[in-house]
Amino acid sequence: MFYIAQTALELGFLYALVAMALFLSYRVLDIADLTTDGAFVLGAAVSVSLAAAGHPVLAVPAAMAAGACAGFVTAFLQTKLGVPPILAGIVTNTGLYTVNLMAMGWKSNVSLLKQETVFSLFRATGLGGDWYETVLAAGITLLMGALLVSFLGTRLGLSIRATGDNRDMVRASSINPTFTVTVGLCISNSLTALSGAVVGQAQKSADINGGTGIVVIGLACLIIGETVVGRGSMLRGALAVIAGSVIYRFVYALVLRSPIPIDCLKLVTAIVVALAIAAPSLKQWWGFQCRRRAAAGKGGA
């Protein structure tokens, strides 16, 4: 049980980067970016391939750069070619399937057997003890969260936030929304690729289908976090996605420990995600029912 809790905490931090990316694209920019699934696999493919070649540390920024390129393509389709945001993400995600195969040497999966990873290198430092993987995962996620919050407080970051609120007003203020959307999507997909990069090295493998459903899980983590922590400042938003991801992974771990057959795991996962996404509406409905019963009780008195 202790090992499962440790693994859930580690994966919660690693996958929180995807929820953080969706926070930027979905909440801040108000764009439903479906590039996430392909960008996650792209990050894992680049990271694992470079780590297999003997460059585990270089693999991480290389994966982020590849993710930024994917975000640039999606932004270009939206801003220059007039493709609707959802379709732009689908088109890019479809094309990334072939790109990901190329990154993995035209193989459906790549494994790291005895090669070094950033986790094994961090373990050699002696920091964290038996929790070295969790410590490194938490450090990466908290660092990127702090950098994202700091960036959104800069002049460019405020312009990106304003673009998500009212694009016409931003354009009237002599700010180019094409540029802000492009920067926002590049950063968002670089965070997604970073998540894929560290997950790939943590699991020592990359699979062409490893990103299936990541965007839905990321949205579930985002909404869980906002339900628990609340919405407000950028700092609260960053903390919410981390908390939501950790909570989701603990729930997932409990499902794995339950007597539910493994063949039903996908169905149970879908139910958990659906309940997580519906949590705000359910919370609002329950609050309304409580107020109505309180009002009825006062009326009867």
Side-chain angles (χ1 to χ4, degrees):
M1 185 66 183
F2 175 78
Y3 174 76
I4 292 177
Q6 182 180 356
T7 303
L9 189 60
E10 175 192 342
L11 292 177
F13 280 115
L14 293 178
Y15 282 95
L17 294 166
V18 177
M20 199 177 297
L22 292 174
F23 169 74
L24 177 57
S25 61
Y26 185 68
R27 282 285 185 250
V28 177
L29 269 177
D30 195 25
I31 293 176
D33 183 18
L34 298 184
T35 318
T36 304
D37 288 4
F40 181 87
V41 179
L42 177 62
V46 172
S47 178
V48 173
S49 297
L50 281 177
H55 307 285
V57 178
L58 178 62
V60 176
M64 294 183 68
C69 291
F72 178 83
V73 173
T74 302
F76 181 81
L77 291 173
Q78 292 183 34
T79 58
K80 297 297 184 181
L81 300 184
V83 180
I86 293 180
L87 291 180
I90 293 175
V91 169
T92 305
N93 193 34
T94 303
L96 282 176
Y97 187 89
T98 302
V99 175
N100 295 335
L101 282 176
M102 293 172 61
M104 292 190 291
W106 300 105
K107 300 176 183 178
S108 60
N109 56 72
V110 179
S111 299
L112 296 172
L113 296 177
K114 296 182 180 180
Q115 288 86 352
E116 294 284 353
T117 66
V118 290
F119 291 93
S120 62
L121 293 176
F122 185 76
R123 181 182 185 179
T125 63
L127 299 175
D130 294 336
W131 289 76
Y132 71 96
E133 291 182 324
T134 306
V135 170
L136 180 57
I140 293 173
T141 301
L142 293 175
L143 174 62
M144 298 310 299
L147 291 176
L148 179 62
V149 171
S150 299
F151 171 75
L152 291 176
T154 64
R155 187 168 185 174
L156 177 57
L158 291 172
S159 298
I160 293 175
R161 293 163 60 181
T163 302
D165 289 335
N166 193 325
R167 192 170 300 189
D168 293 331
M169 181 195 71
V170 167
R171 187 179 291 108
S173 301
S174 301
I175 299 174
N176 186 2
T178 298
F179 176 71
T180 54
V181 168
T182 301
V183 172
L185 289 181
C186 285
I187 295 175
S188 173
N189 283 281
S190 68
L191 288 173
T192 301
L194 173 61
S195 178
V198 290
V199 168
Q201 292 202 37
Q203 298 178 347
K204 293 190 174 183
S205 65
D207 188 88
I208 192 64
N209 297 315
T212 304
I214 288 295
V215 63
V216 178
I217 294 174
L219 283 174
C221 296
L222 172 62
I223 294 173
I224 290 173
E226 290 180 344
T227 303
V228 175
V229 180
R231 298 174 60 179
S233 64
M234 295 297 104
L235 177 59
R236 174 174 284 189
L239 293 176
V241 297
I242 296 174
S245 182
V246 171
I247 292 172
Y248 175 83
R249 286 296 157 182
F250 269 102
V251 172
Y252 194 79
L254 291 176
V255 171
L256 289 176
R257 291 283 294 177
S258 67
I260 298 174
I262 193 67
D263 295 333
C264 301
L265 186 59
K266 285 290 184 180
L267 176 60
V268 174
T269 302
I271 294 173
V272 171
V273 171
L275 290 175
I277 295 176
S281 298
L282 294 176
K283 183 179 179 181
Q284 184 179 8
W285 174 83
W286 180 253
F288 174 76
Q289 294 297 324
C290 291
R291 291 193 298 270
R292 189 173 71 172
R293 290 174 184 174
K298 292 181 180 179

